[in-house]
Amino acid sequence: ATQTKSADVERADSGIGQMPARKWRNRASETLSSLQAWEAHRPCTDCGERDLPVETDVQNCNQRRADLCEKCRKRRTERKESVLEFVNTEASYGEDLRIIKEEFYLPMQAAGLLSQEQLQGIFSNIQELIDLNENFLEILQEEIDQAFDQGDDDLMTVCIGEIFLEFVNMLPAFQTYCLQQSSSVNMLNALEKEKELLRIFLNVSQNDNTALRRMNLRSFLMAPLQRVTKYPLLLSRIIKATTEYHPDHSSLREAKSRIESHLEHINMKTKQEGNTWTLRSFRQDSKKKREVINIEMRETALKTVGWLREETRFVMEGSLQLAQPPDGQWVKKGSKTLKFQNMQVLLLVNMKRVSESSLESAEPGPVKDAVLVLIRDKNNGKFHLLREPLRLSNCIVSTDPDCDDTFELIEIRREAFVFRDSDRARTHHWFRQIRRYSRELGSWKKRRNALPNIMISTPHTRP
């Protein structure tokens, strides 16, 4: 057998000489040291800053949370405390609502101290507020429990803003209660003077019922007002402790803006009704003023159509120019011959509920009805309807290439309207949305590509 030199064996095994191997080992050692130094001194995951020098970082690497700086750790703690305060105060508010029902409303009803009409006058829509609070609190508590179960001790995965926006329909319920508060207190005062048994019951309850904490009925009836005015403050604390990169940051700001707009709307309503009290006032900017106007228009539209709020979707709303042509030849003459007036228009859709709980129906159900509500510009603090809502199931919507900046809506056997927006693209968007529901709901369906039927009598006369 041929004997092989040891140098050949080493060269065959490693493939490199001793000097290159030593250099590789030195580079690997330097790289490892650099990685360890970077690991000890890596930036904060929340803000991207490095708050401590390298030596201190290495010494305290095992004592601090490796991916957060001191400022962000403190901010996370503040955010957790603010989130828990929001949930805990919501639970306390719910307990006060249950006391109102179980310690006052039900005993007074069972004893026949007041009639059902009188009870309704004093307690207003307290049952609606109880139901909303229970559903809202249940979702909040589930989010908290899920975060802890997943090891999120800082509750960073809890998105209060998103949850609040899902329950934005509770704000009109607060509005109903707040607007009736003044008359409720006046009725309670009058009945207490008139009915001795009621006065005795209220005094004994306050002094002997430990669940009431020696508070009277009037104090408990103020709970919804106090709660709705506290929402902006609680949301502000969470926003202050939430970095702008957090997925809930924009939702928190929108939730805060929505509740402040509703509070301003409630204040405006109380002034219109001649009441002297107001809720906590918040600084108004142009955006909040527009939102207050939109809220009032939606309230007017809902009251007009008589639909349930949870089954109603506002597809589009805004200002449009409207004209009523005297005859059907306006296209040949051109839209310049028409006299347009500014109008607030709302497109409302009534959706069938997929389930009893609105939270379970992620996807909207089939459309039951769709209407256009036409509202004149605001006058003396109130809105005025131009006419009864236009039901799209009885309308034909069409456009003409010669007048592509307008579209026509003909109410079968009644009258015709021509609409346009100041922006042509938005005019086309309005047309597509209105035509969509008109086609879906109309008994004539898609006949003649949504053009008027020549056999339908449509006199173009003003009402």
Side-chain angles (χ1 to χ4, degrees):
T2 305
Q3 294 183 355
T4 307
K5 295 181 180 181
S6 60
D8 295 336
V9 174
E10 180 182 354
R11 204 170 277 114
D13 290 344
S14 63
I16 58 174
Q18 294 181 358
M19 289 300 294
R22 190 178 299 114
K23 290 181 179 180
W24 279 33
R25 286 194 295 271
N26 291 338
R27 289 180 182 177
S29 178
E30 292 174 0
T31 303
L32 180 60
S33 299
S34 299
L35 288 173
Q36 290 175 345
W38 181 87
E39 182 69 22
H41 192 51
R42 61 181 172 178
C44 171
T45 55
D46 279 7
C47 66
E49 297 180 357
R50 297 177 172 90
D51 64 326
L52 298 174
V54 177
E55 295 80 9
T56 309
D57 270 2
V58 174
Q59 294 171 3
N60 299 332
C61 183
N62 296 326
Q63 300 177 9
R64 73 184 186 94
R65 196 177 304 169
D67 55 350
L68 290 175
C69 65
E70 181 67 25
K71 181 180 178 181
C72 290
R73 287 206 311 277
K74 186 178 296 184
R75 178 187 292 171
R76 284 198 176 193
T77 301
E78 292 175 355
R79 186 181 188 279
K80 177 181 179 180
E81 292 174 352
S82 300
V83 168
L84 291 177
E85 180 186 14
F86 188 99
V87 178
N88 293 335
T89 52
E90 186 70 22
S92 299
Y93 159 66
E95 185 61 30
D96 286 344
L97 292 181
R98 284 185 286 276
I99 287 176
I100 293 175
K101 178 181 178 180
E102 296 173 4
E103 306 298 334
F104 290 105
Y105 181 88
L106 293 179
M108 292 164 65
Q109 184 184 47
L113 295 178
L114 297 176
S115 65
Q116 192 61 40
E117 183 179 353
Q118 292 169 334
L119 290 171
Q120 178 66 29
I122 294 175
F123 295 97
S124 187
N125 62 328
I126 196 68
Q127 184 59 53
E128 182 183 10
L129 294 176
I130 292 175
D131 295 338
L132 288 169
N133 168 261
E134 290 178 349
N135 294 332
F136 188 35
L137 187 60
E138 181 181 359
I139 299 299
L140 289 172
Q141 196 60 55
E142 285 180 0
E143 289 289 315
I144 298 292
D145 295 341
Q146 184 177 358
F148 282 132
D149 292 342
Q150 294 176 350
D152 178 18
D153 294 334
D154 293 330
L155 303 181
M156 294 299 292
T157 57
V158 177
C159 296
I160 296 292
E162 292 182 5
I163 300 174
F164 193 95
L165 292 177
E166 288 180 7
F167 283 85
V168 74
N169 279 340
M170 67 181 176
L171 299 181
F174 277 108
Q175 174 180 315
T176 300
Y177 186 91
C178 293
L179 293 178
Q180 295 182 8
Q181 178 64 17
S182 180
S183 60
S184 297
V185 172
N186 292 336
M187 177 179 289
L188 177 61
N189 293 337
L191 291 173
E192 194 174 2
K193 293 179 180 179
E194 177 184 342
K195 297 179 177 293
E196 183 178 1
L197 289 179
L198 175 63
R199 185 168 61 253
I200 294 174
F201 168 77
L202 295 177
N203 289 335
V204 171
S205 298
Q206 180 180 354
N207 295 325
D208 298 342
N209 191 339
T210 56
L212 303 186
R213 309 187 299 274
R214 291 192 174 275
M215 293 169 56
N216 56 28
L217 175 58
R218 293 175 187 80
S219 300
F220 282 101
L221 292 177
M222 290 295 295
L225 279 71
Q226 295 168 350
R227 185 58 186 172
V228 73
T229 54
K230 198 170 183 181
Y231 280 135
L233 306 178
L234 295 171
L235 292 171
S236 295
R237 293 178 188 174
I238 301 177
I239 293 172
K240 185 178 179 181
T242 301
T243 177
E244 60 180 329
Y245 304 109
H246 193 280
D248 195 40
H249 190 268
S250 60
S251 296
L252 285 167
R253 289 193 171 277
E254 183 181 354
K256 180 173 177 288
S257 177
R258 295 285 289 274
I259 181 63
E260 290 178 355
S261 298
H262 270 274
L263 292 177
E264 294 295 346
H265 177 61
I266 293 173
N267 284 339
M268 182 180 64
K269 282 289 188 181
T270 57
K271 292 178 181 179
Q272 291 177 358
E273 296 179 4
N275 296 325
T276 57
W277 66 272
T278 58
L279 297 173
R280 176 184 173 87
S281 179
F282 294 88
R283 180 179 60 85
Q284 282 191 7
D285 53 26
S286 57
K287 180 179 178 181
K288 287 191 178 64
K289 288 180 180 179
R290 289 196 303 269
E291 180 63 22
V292 169
I293 294 174
N294 291 340
I295 292 171
E296 187 169 357
M297 285 197 304
R298 294 177 201 136
E299 292 290 332
T300 302
L302 273 178
K303 187 181 296 183
T304 302
V305 298
W307 296 346
L308 295 176
R309 190 181 306 276
E310 58 270 19
E311 296 182 0
T312 304
R313 187 160 63 93
F314 292 89
V315 179
M316 291 191 69
E317 56 187 64
S319 177
L320 283 179
Q321 294 179 350
L322 176 146
Q324 292 181 270
D327 54 51
Q329 304 298 320
W330 67 271
V331 176
K332 294 181 180 180
K333 300 176 183 177
S335 59
K336 294 182 179 179
T337 62
L338 299 178
K339 184 178 180 181
F340 286 91
Q341 57 179 321
N342 291 325
M343 194 71 54
Q344 296 293 334
V345 181
L346 294 90
L347 173 56
L348 282 70
V349 174
N350 193 331
M351 313 294 293
K352 292 182 179 178
R353 299 174 68 178
V354 176
S355 64
E356 290 300 322
S357 174
S358 59
L359 297 175
E360 298 175 6
S361 55
E363 296 294 330
V367 177
K368 290 196 297 186
D369 201 356
V371 299
L372 275 185
V373 179
L374 309 178
I375 301 178
R376 291 186 184 277
D377 285 342
K378 199 173 182 182
N379 184 22
N380 297 327
K382 294 184 179 181
F383 287 107
H384 300 280
L385 292 174
L386 174 67
R387 64 189 303 287
E388 68 271 14
L390 289 165
R391 299 200 172 273
L392 297 187
S393 58
N394 299 328
C395 296
I396 299 173
V397 188
S398 60
T399 186
D400 193 284
D402 295 333
C403 297
D404 61 349
D405 62 337
T406 62
F407 64 90
E408 185 177 24
L409 184 148
I410 299 178
E411 191 176 14
I412 299 175
R413 297 187 181 87
R414 294 197 63 180
E415 52 192 326
F417 298 90
V418 177
F419 293 94
R420 73 180 181 187
D421 194 281
S422 56
D423 180 59
R424 181 169 299 185
R426 187 162 175 81
T427 300
H428 294 166
H429 185 53
W430 272 100
F431 165 68
R432 288 191 297 269
Q433 290 289 340
I434 295 174
R435 183 181 62 174
R436 169 192 169 188
Y437 294 106
S438 176
R439 284 182 170 184
E440 184 174 345
L441 296 169
S443 57
W444 48 276
K445 296 295 180 182
K446 301 179 181 179
R447 184 171 54 213
R448 288 177 52 93
N449 195 25
L451 295 176
N453 192 319
I454 59 175
M455 299 303 296
I456 298 177
S457 174
T458 57
H460 300 285
T461 57
R462 295 182 180 273

